[in-house]
Amino acid sequence: MTPAVLRIATRKSALALWQAEHVAGLLRTTHPGLRVELVPLSTRGDEILDMPLATIGGKGLFLKELELAMLEGRADLAVHSLKDVPSELEPGFALPAILPRADAADAFVSNDYADLAALPRGARVGTSSLRRQAQLRAVRPDLELLDLRGNVGTRLQKLDSGHYDAIVLACAGLERLGLHARIRSRLAAPAWLPAPGQGAIAIEARSDQPAVLEALAVLDDADTRLAVTAERAMNQALGGSCTVPVGAWCTVTERGLHLRGLVGEVSSGRLLVAEAAGVGDDAVDLGNGVAQSLFAQGAAAFLKS
């Protein structure tokens, strides 16, 4: 039986609120009469903006306060960008729904230059993602890579203020906020790999709340779940940490799954790349297999560094 009310724990950023409102709208449409409320919260990942995420504990910092709200009964579910969700959830939590994936590519954003190739030597590019930094270094070792934290609006403001010649963001986030016009060019697979799960919205809930899980499961997209399961399995096999530059892109076709993954080294721009294909129901095996191929190329040394 569907609950009468569902409360969504969400971060307070414009993008997080958009995602929570989007899920709320889908739930109201799917379950007529259901009351859906937002519970906006601040997380440590939002509050500590003067240090790289990898230094202060990783993307899981964006989840902890939301999970605490669910454990304490202040919220029934949380909405996340899947790329911010650790490969292994905390005990007692599940992802009953993953929505259809939006554009998973990265966005090259600049006020003066059309694309990465157009940047002059030594141009300043902002991103706090080690995955993006490694791929930027591989393509343009001459660039000055600078850390960039904050929500989408803050990052764009820093670009507009002249702190950077260009920045790299997720296409999906810009598009969801109505900022598609800021995308000068797309950095997309197969040449450029996104973060595992990038572009997908995930709904998290307590695993001991069957009525809530059932109400949310109707929003799940089977193809997206298959693809991101392979990507996240690869990431987990590699150590599942945001302190390592890891990219993954899985496509789902009538023939099955195809996964391409990479591990990078920020200092040198060296990239290890592997890919494999599999049938539809072996997403975890496929992810593990690509991870093993990366290990066979020497990924362990990158992971240690």
Side-chain angles (χ1 to χ4, degrees), residues 48-256:
I48 305 173
L49 297 177
D50 58 349
M51 298 172 68
L53 270 180
T55 304
I56 59 174
K59 293 181 176 180
L61 289 178
F62 292 126
L63 277 69
K64 293 188 186 303
E65 280 81 357
L66 309 188
E67 290 175 339
L68 184 61
M70 288 187 280
L71 288 173
E72 293 178 346
R74 292 181 282 123
D76 305 297
L77 63 141
V79 175
H80 310 292
S81 294
L82 183 58
K83 69 182 179 64
D84 293 338
V85 179
S87 302
E88 195 167 352
L89 293 178
E90 289 293 323
F93 290 98
L95 298 179
I98 297 172
L99 304 191
R101 195 175 208 166
D103 189 346
D106 279 333
F108 175 87
V109 182
S110 175
N111 294 322
D112 302 308
Y113 304 100
D115 54 30
L116 200 52
L119 286 172
R121 286 189 61 83
R124 299 159 301 156
V125 180
T127 173
S128 60
S129 160
L130 298 180
R131 171 189 58 83
R132 289 170 179 155
Q133 288 178 14
Q135 292 184 94
L136 285 167
R137 185 80 69 208
V139 180
R140 289 288 307 269
D142 60 290
L143 297 176
E144 183 183 359
L145 304 183
L146 302 171
D147 204 46
L148 176 64
R149 291 283 315 282
N151 60 40
V152 172
T154 299
R155 296 183 191 203
L156 290 172
Q157 188 176 29
K158 289 179 179 177
L159 170 70
D160 296 340
S161 298
H163 292 92
Y164 308 94
D165 296 300
I167 61 176
V168 182
L169 301 172
C171 284
L174 290 167
E175 290 167 350
R176 285 165 181 156
L177 292 173
L179 297 169
H180 182 271
R182 298 300 304 257
I183 302 173
R184 295 297 298 270
S185 63
R186 294 171 69 253
L187 300 167
W192 179 283
L193 296 191
Q198 185 162 315
I201 293 173
I203 304 176
E204 183 183 24
R206 285 169 51 172
S207 51
D208 62 354
Q209 303 285 331
V212 173
L213 296 174
E214 187 177 342
L216 299 174
V218 295
L219 302 182
D220 191 55
D221 183 75
D223 281 355
T224 300
R225 181 175 286 273
L226 264 180
V228 301
T229 296
E231 294 170 13
R232 286 165 61 78
M234 185 204 84
N235 192 37
Q236 186 170 359
L238 290 167
S241 168
C242 82
T243 61
V244 180
V246 172
W249 174 241
C250 184
T251 53
V252 182
T253 68
E254 291 179 357
R255 296 188 301 275

